[in-house]
């Protein structure tokens, strides 16, 4: 009987409407996710562990039960990394906190050269600022141009990323990274905060 009821419910989940914007929150970050785009729209967090030592050995990204996200198939055989919005290194106080960053809700299709280059350079600098100054808040917003790439798997590739860094005295630095191989260091992606 249990199997029969489950089989009856499966078609209902298969035809659930795809949501444009779904709010999510866990113990370290929050934001909005687009099931339609299979990408986050925005993620906000506060750097908690600029000097943590927990190890990420054996961790990989996981899907969410209540929000339809991208998955491993979207990152296969292309130039896109599983880019963390809230970086694992900012939350390596404990393995539990570290694991929280590996949700696909916190994962973007990010050009591998950007993820491993200018983006990670700014992440390192933010941890240094947090270590020196205290709580640093970060807001990330994804941009999707009208002609953005849509993968055969159905996931949409962000055109660019805005990253706003808010300091303890409420001053702010803002950055804009096109989702391509970077041709300059992270400092040169700073923009006016309008």
């Amino acid at each position: 009987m249990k199997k029969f009821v489950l089989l009856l419910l499966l078609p209902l989940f298969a035809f659930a409407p795809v949501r444009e914007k779904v709010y999510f929150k866990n113990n370290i970050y929050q934001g909005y996710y687009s099931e339609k785009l299979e990408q986050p729209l925005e993620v906000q967090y506060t750097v908690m562990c600029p000097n943590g030592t927990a190890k990420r050995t054996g961790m990989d990204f996981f899907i969410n039960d209540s929000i339809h996200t991208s998955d491993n198939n979207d990152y296969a055989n292309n130039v896109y990394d599983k880019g963390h919005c809230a970086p694992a290194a900012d939350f390596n106080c404990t393995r539990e906190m570290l694991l929280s960053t590996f949700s696909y809700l916190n994962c973007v299709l990010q050009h591998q050269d950007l993820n491993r280059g200018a983006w990670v350079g700014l992440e390192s600098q933010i941890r240094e600022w947090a270590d020196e100054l205290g709580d640093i808040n970060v807001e990330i917003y994804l941009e999707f141009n009208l002609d953005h790439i849509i993968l055969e798997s159905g996931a949409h590739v962000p055109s660019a990323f805005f990253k706003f860094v808010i300091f303890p005295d409420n001053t702010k630095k803002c950055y804009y990274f096109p989702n391509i191989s970077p041709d300059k260091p992270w400092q040169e992606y700073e923009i006016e905060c309008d």
Side-chain angles (χ1 to χ4, degrees), residues 78-183:
N78 58 44
V79 299
Y80 302 106
D81 275 353
K82 296 174 186 173
H84 283 83
C85 285
D90 288 8
F91 300 98
N92 59 359
C93 290
T94 66
R95 279 190 60 86
E96 179 185 48
M97 287 177 71
L98 190 58
L99 183 59
S100 294
T101 69
F102 282 88
S103 167
Y104 276 107
L105 293 172
N106 185 45
C107 181
V108 295
L109 284 155
Q110 191 168 57
H111 193 287
Q112 61 190 9
D113 295 340
L114 175 60
N115 185 45
R116 302 170 196 182
W119 188 263
V120 76
L122 178 54
E123 287 176 344
S124 286
Q125 180 61 60
I126 292 170
R127 281 190 294 280
E128 288 180 29
W129 287 329
D131 189 37
E132 178 185 337
L133 303 172
D135 286 349
I136 302 285
N137 295 312
V138 180
E139 299 174 357
I140 298 169
Y141 300 92
L142 281 70
E143 178 177 77
F144 295 88
N145 295 339
L146 290 177
D147 62 348
H148 70 271
I149 297 167
I150 303 172
L151 302 178
E152 287 184 20
S153 62
H156 294 235
V157 178
S159 305
F161 307 94
F162 289 94
K163 183 177 267 194
F164 302 152
V165 182
I166 301 106
F167 295 89
D169 65 359
N170 285 325
T171 58
K172 186 188 288 189
K173 286 184 175 278
C174 299
Y175 301 86
Y176 179 78
F177 294 94
N179 195 11
I180 58 176
S181 183
D183 58 358

Side-chain angles (χ1 to χ4, degrees), residues 22 28 35 56 77 99 118 125 129 139 194:
V22 182
I28 59 175
E35 292 180 327
R56 64 195 287 179
N77 304 315
L99 183 59
Q125 180 61 60
W129 287 329
E139 299 174 357
D194 296 357

